[in-house]
Structure formats: C-alpha cells, structure tokens
Amino acid sequence: MARRPVEASFEAAPNIALVKYWGVRDEALGLPYNSSLSVTLNRLRTRTTVRFDPKLSSDRFLLDGEAQSGGPLTSVSGFLDTVRAIARFETHALVRSTNNFQTASGLASSASGFAALAGAASLAAGLHLSPADLSRLARLGSGSASRSLFGGFVEWRAGTRSDGRDCFARPLHPPSHWPSLVDLVAIIADAPTKPVRSSVAMQRTVATSPTYAQRQRELPRRLRAMKRAIAVRDAPTLFDLTMEECDSFRNVCETTVPTLDYLVPASRAVLADVRAANEENGTTLAGYTHDAGAHVHVFTLQRHAGTLRRRLARIHGVAKVLALSPGRGARPIRRWRA
Ligand code: ADP
Ligand code: DP6
C-alpha cells in the first residue's frame, strides 16, 4: 500500500427480512442454515468513510462522532483484517460512520453498516470487487449485510459448499418492481438496545429451541411461495406469508433457553392492531414483521397507507410511523466527512 493515506466513502441502507436468516452452520464464514429474502429500504442509511493511514498504530472506529471500543471496534477491525488479507497490506484505518436511525435496536444497522464498510474498505484498499464478491465480503461482517448491497427485493442463497463460494445475495427485482408497496415502520418509543448481536443470539436458538428443526423444514415452501407472490405482485398472499414467517421467527426466539423476547407491549399492540384491521376489512390489507428488536414493519399498499399510518400512530408507545418504500442498493459516494 502507498505511503500516503487513501480514502473512500460508501452509502448503504438497511433491509427488512421477509424470510428471516436465523442460525449459521459455519460461524467463521457466516454460512446460514437457510436462504432468506428481504426488501432494501429507502430513507434510512449508513454513510461510511474508510481511510487507510500508515501513521495509525491501530484501527479506529467513530460511529456518529463517538470513538467506539469493545465489540463494535473489534467487529470493524476484524473485518478490516479480512480486507487487508485480500489486498495484501497491513496499514491500519480510521473508519468514520453515521447511521441516520437508531443503532442496535432491530432496524438492521449491522446490515447497512457492514454493507457500507465492505464497499468503502474494499475501494480504499484498491480492490475492485464484483457485486457477488462484495456480498460475500459483507456477509463476513454481518449476515444480513450481504443483502444490503442490492436494492429492491433481494434473495440471499444459503448455498451448500463448505467454503461459502455459493453463499451470497442477488437482486430479484429492482425497487421500481412494485411502486405501490409501502413499509410503515412503527418506531417504538424507548426501544431497548440489544444486549447481544443477532449473530450470537441466533446460535442460542439453534442450540436450544425445540421448534427450530420444524421451522427449517417449513422454510423452503414459504420462500418459494413468497417469491411467487412478489413476482406477480399478489399483496394479500405476500402479507399473509410475511406474518406467518414473522410468527415462526418469534416462536423460535421465544422457545430459546433462556428466552429471547425482543418485543415490548407497544410492539405487540401493533401486531394485534394489524390483525384487527385485516379482520375488520375481511381481507388481508397489511402484513407485519419485525427483526430482532421492538420496532415493527407493516407492509401495505399505497391506497391503505394513510388510514393505517394514522391508526398505528395512535397506539400507546408508538413514537412515530415512517412510510418507507423499496430503496436502492449500496453505492460509492463522494468524499464525505462524518
Ligand atoms: P441491528 O438490529 O441494528 O442490526 P445488531 O445488534 O444486530 O442490531 O447490530 C448492531 C451492531 O452493528 C453494533 O453494535 C455495531 O457493532 C454494528 N454497527 C452498527 N452500525 C454500524 C456502522 N455504521 N458501521 C459499522 N458497524 C456498525
Ligand atoms: C432477525 O445479520 O443482523 O434480522 O451478524 O449480528 O449483524 P449480525 O446478525 P444479522 O442478523 C439478522 C437477523 C434478522 C433476520 C434477517 O435479517 O434475516
């Protein structure tokens, strides 16, 4: 690597999983037990600048202006070690990043964070990786980050190889595929910060949940049905499958020993309200889902979004409701300072 500092910046958005990734067959390589499917979102974003600087004696990581230590710094530095090994140099880096939404609360900051880091670090290291290689690289930082490289509707294939060569994400449809689809995100006031990262929690589920094996058997059928519903824009079927999958994910979390309970009463009130709205209308006009956190995503169509948004905003403990759409994939940005 050159004696002068080299720098690059990247932007990436979080994604919300419609079919969840929860459990790895290889922890070092981050190889999941099942394929997953997600929607990359607009409006929420991470921006990251990586600067490799020969003057630094160790890596530094500033998140939203604050110097990080412990787990977050270790994860970033470990990730940079992989990039340095590929690029064959040892220079340390200053990483500056901002998330324009709450970190570690179930809104997938690790997905946008490691997708942006993969892009910025590989560019600054002079690597020009293909989209599939970038996705494989991002996967090593956070599984869900492999999907945030791409916009719109994205599938991350579990693959079968032990070296992970066939384990990366690919775009299924661009953001413009379904313009009337809306994701209303009920932001829960005082959503707790997660005590452990999802990658740690999911392995507890694999080891202890008595219903995990049954969930794994159900997933291929659900994934196929969901891909069909998205391809033909069949909203009621997609929303029903989204809730079925979310309930299955929550079930394996709740049956983990000790239990994993990511929801708070306001989150549960949102789920109940979506069920009630569907019941009242006699048709499935919305479908809820959540990741490992208290915030709840409610998918619906543009024509129902206004009414539903007002309804959800009235729930006690819901701070606000964001109206998001499928968004763009990760991309380089011009020099930018956190
Ligand atoms: P979330 O639901 O937000 O993904 P997790 O607990 O799974 O929550 O992941 C949060 C962790 O992801 C943080 O503690 C930090 O280690 C990492 N992270 C979050 N944002 C960034 C970022 N912008 N750059 C690098 N790492 C990040
Ligand atoms: C419930 O990929 O975020 O959101 O490696 O700890 O960052 P870390 O795990 P992560 O786990 C995602 C779990 C999930 C489901 C999903 O996004 O598929």
Side-chain angles (χ1 to χ4, degrees):
M1 160 141 288
R3 282 166 202 278
R4 286 189 303 119
V6 278
E7 182 173 304
S9 301
F10 232 76
E11 179 169 313
N15 65 76
I16 174 68
L18 301 180
V19 173
K20 312 291 179 188
Y21 143 62
W22 198 251
V24 286
R25 59 183 202 270
D26 182 315
E27 289 189 32
L29 293 177
L31 305 180
Y33 277 113
N34 60 270
S35 301
S36 55
L37 191 160
S38 60
V39 181
T40 301
L41 301 169
N42 69 350
R43 294 186 55 198
L44 306 183
R45 54 125 186 94
T46 294
R47 283 186 183 148
T48 299
T49 297
V50 174
R51 178 182 172 89
F52 287 106
D53 187 343
K55 292 204 189 87
L56 291 174
S57 56
S58 62
D59 293 321
R60 291 185 59 210
F61 173 33
L62 295 179
L63 181 56
D64 295 325
E66 288 196 14
Q68 303 292 302
S69 57
L73 175 61
T74 307
S75 305
V76 164
S77 196
F79 188 81
L80 292 172
D81 285 341
T82 306
V83 174
R84 283 185 283 251
I86 301 171
R88 295 170 198 245
F89 66 81
E90 290 177 356
T91 313
H92 293 292
L94 168 63
V95 175
R96 284 163 295 151
S97 187
T98 60
N99 298 326
N100 73 348
F101 60 96
Q102 192 184 348
T103 298
S105 72
L107 285 174
S109 65
S110 60
S112 54
F114 281 95
L117 184 63
S122 59
L123 263 191
L127 301 171
H128 294 279
L129 302 180
S130 67
D133 278 341
L134 258 185
S135 174
R136 285 191 199 91
L137 175 63
R139 188 195 78 220
L140 300 173
S142 166
S144 53
S146 66
R147 299 185 309 239
S148 272
L149 263 309
F150 307 103
F153 301 81
V154 181
E155 180 181 16
W156 171 21
R157 291 214 181 141
T160 53
R161 290 175 59 130
S162 57
D163 64 3
R165 286 295 302 162
D166 57 354
C167 182
F168 56 91
R170 60 177 190 128
L172 293 176
H173 306 281
S176 57
H177 171 69
W178 199 340
S180 56
L181 191 68
V182 180
D183 176 15
L184 299 173
V185 190
I187 300 291
I188 304 299
D190 306 322
T193 299
K194 289 193 241 177
V196 293
R197 278 187 64 173
S198 295
S199 46
V200 175
M202 62 180 72
Q203 292 310 84
R204 295 186 188 158
T205 300
V206 173
T208 63
S209 168
T211 53
Y212 187 73
Q214 174 59 30
R215 164 173 166 73
Q216 291 306 116
R217 282 194 289 276
E218 289 166 12
L219 278 174
R221 176 203 61 83
R222 197 177 290 137
L223 178 62
R224 271 196 307 276
M226 214 179 266
K227 281 165 71 173
R228 261 197 313 273
I230 292 170
V232 301
R233 301 185 199 90
D234 176 348
T237 302
L238 176 65
F239 300 158
D240 280 332
L241 289 166
T242 298
M243 291 188 281
E244 181 185 297
E245 165 62 1
C246 176
D247 293 346
S248 158
F249 164 64
R250 193 170 56 259
N251 173 270
V252 293
C253 289
E254 287 174 353
T255 55
T256 296
V257 185
T259 188
L260 296 168
D261 185 4
Y262 292 110
L263 302 188
V264 297
S267 326
R268 292 183 192 280
V270 173
L271 305 189
D273 203 49
V274 172
R275 288 188 201 106
N278 288 337
E279 194 91 350
E280 286 159 25
N281 280 272
T283 172
T284 310
L285 51 82
Y288 57 70
T289 192
H290 56 79
D291 278 342
H295 309 298
V296 182
H297 296 248
V298 180
F299 280 89
T300 191
L301 294 176
Q302 198 74 55
R303 62 179 181 276
H304 307 300
T307 318
L308 201 55
R309 190 179 187 181
R310 283 189 291 280
R311 186 175 169 144
L312 297 176
R314 281 198 293 271
I315 294 173
H316 181 70
V318 171
K320 60 181 168 181
V321 181
L322 309 176
L324 307 182
S325 308
R328 293 195 285 166
R331 59 201 170 278
I333 49 175
R334 287 159 60 91
R335 248 170 91 94
W336 160 88
R337 297 216 170 266

